[in-house]
Structure formats: C-alpha cells, structure tokens
Amino acid sequence: MTEPLLDPDSSREYLRDWKGRVDRAAAATQAMAERLGDLRISAVDGNELAEVTIDSNGVLVDVRFTERIHRVTPDAVSRAVLTAQGIARRKVAELSRQIIDETMGPGSTAGRVIEQRLRGAADE
C-alpha cells in the first residue's frame, strides 16, 4: 500500500529525520572503522616460544621469539607461531564484534556484513 503524500512541512521534517539517521550511521561507521584500524592483538603460544601480533584483518604485523626456541626443534617453533596466531585471531574476532556492536548497534545489518568481511579476510 502506498503512503499518502506528505504536506510540504511534513516532507521537510521527514527529510530532516532521514538525513539525521544517515548522518548518525555515517558517524558510527567512521568511528567503527577508526577503532578497527587501530586494533592490534598479541598472543603467546602455550609453551611461551612465540608471541604474534595481528591487526583487525588477521594480518600478521609482528612475531617475537623467546630464548626458549633454542631448546626446541624448528617444527615446534612453527607450531608455536601458528598456535599463537590462532589465539590472536579468536581474540580479534571477539573484540571486533564488540566494537561493531558498540558503534553500529547490536543486530545491525551493516555490522553483520562488516563482521563477515573481517572474518573472511582473517581466514585467507
């Protein structure tokens, strides 16, 4: 069913309200993008051989090794890096969800799309 035509004053008020919603959504999106862009998470494997730092996309930005790596095989060091990276990715997913909920609102359609894109980027 089509809505009745609005009178000029009602039309202006409707457009002001609509513009306000668009402006608020744009501001929330910008705030979310800034917070996600600044997000860095570090994690250490259970044997404390390696510490990795990733960004909100799951991209590895730093790796640090402890002196303990000299006492284990290279394969153990590789597993330590991958384990720490997995831990960091889970933390990033949790924090990203919190940031999206805080800025876009829980249950936001746009927030769900952004979260899916971040999850997809982290899985690559």
Side-chain angles (χ1 to χ4, degrees):
M1 178 174 198
T2 59
E3 293 186 27
L5 293 176
L6 298 174
D7 63 77
D9 289 334
S10 295
S11 295
R12 280 189 280 280
E13 183 178 337
Y14 174 81
L15 289 174
R16 270 193 304 274
D17 289 346
W18 177 81
K19 184 182 180 314
R21 287 191 306 272
V22 170
D23 289 346
R24 285 189 299 277
T29 300
Q30 181 64 36
M32 178 201 59
E34 289 172 5
R35 288 180 65 188
L36 289 173
D38 292 341
L39 186 62
R40 299 288 183 271
I41 295 294
S42 297
V44 178
D45 72 289
N47 294 317
E48 298 181 353
L49 298 173
E51 177 183 30
V52 302
T53 302
I54 63 172
D55 66 13
S56 62
N57 291 311
V59 174
L60 191 62
V61 295
D62 192 27
V63 178
R64 297 190 183 269
F65 300 102
T66 65
E67 288 295 319
R68 299 182 76 191
I69 66 166
H70 298 294
R71 292 179 266 166
V72 297
T73 65
D75 285 345
V77 174
S78 295
R79 285 191 305 276
V81 169
L82 294 175
T83 297
Q85 188 174 21
I87 294 166
R89 283 184 172 182
R90 286 187 292 280
K91 288 180 182 179
V92 160
E94 291 171 24
L95 286 174
S96 295
R97 167 85 325 256
Q98 289 175 8
I99 289 169
I100 291 167
D101 284 350
E102 289 169 6
T103 55
M104 303 298 289
S108 160
T109 301
R112 281 196 309 271
V113 170
I114 293 164
E115 182 183 12
Q116 288 171 348
R117 287 186 181 163
L118 286 173
R119 192 178 312 127
D123 291 341
E124 292 177 354

